[in-house]
Amino acid sequence: MAHKFEIYKDKAGEFRVRFKYNSEIMFSTEGYSSKTSAQNAIESIKKNGPGAPIEDIS
């Protein structure tokens, strides 16, 4: 699979989500205290991400 979400534990013991495409990390989230919260973040990205507007603040 060329793309995937990964849930992992950081050095502080928090759960984080990263999105990888062709083994390259495209983004990662803040730390969450529970795995369930990390899973909820993934579902929110899947649900809300496709319709999100692009804001160019460059």
Side-chain angles (χ1 to χ4, degrees), residues 6-57:
E6 292 181 340
I7 297 173
Y8 66 100
K9 250 187 178 180
D10 65 15
K11 291 179 181 180
E14 293 185 316
F15 293 93
R16 292 183 180 263
V17 175
R18 61 184 162 216
F19 181 78
K20 292 177 111 178
Y21 184 77
N22 289 334
S23 300
E24 182 180 345
I25 297 171
M26 302 303 288
F27 69 84
S28 59
T29 66
E30 63 183 298
Y32 297 98
S33 59
S34 71
K35 188 183 280 190
T36 299
S37 293
Q39 291 167 327
N40 289 341
I42 293 170
E43 293 308 314
S44 178
I45 293 165
K46 286 180 173 181
K47 178 182 174 188
N48 300 307
I54 297 170
E55 183 177 349
D56 183 352
I57 58 173

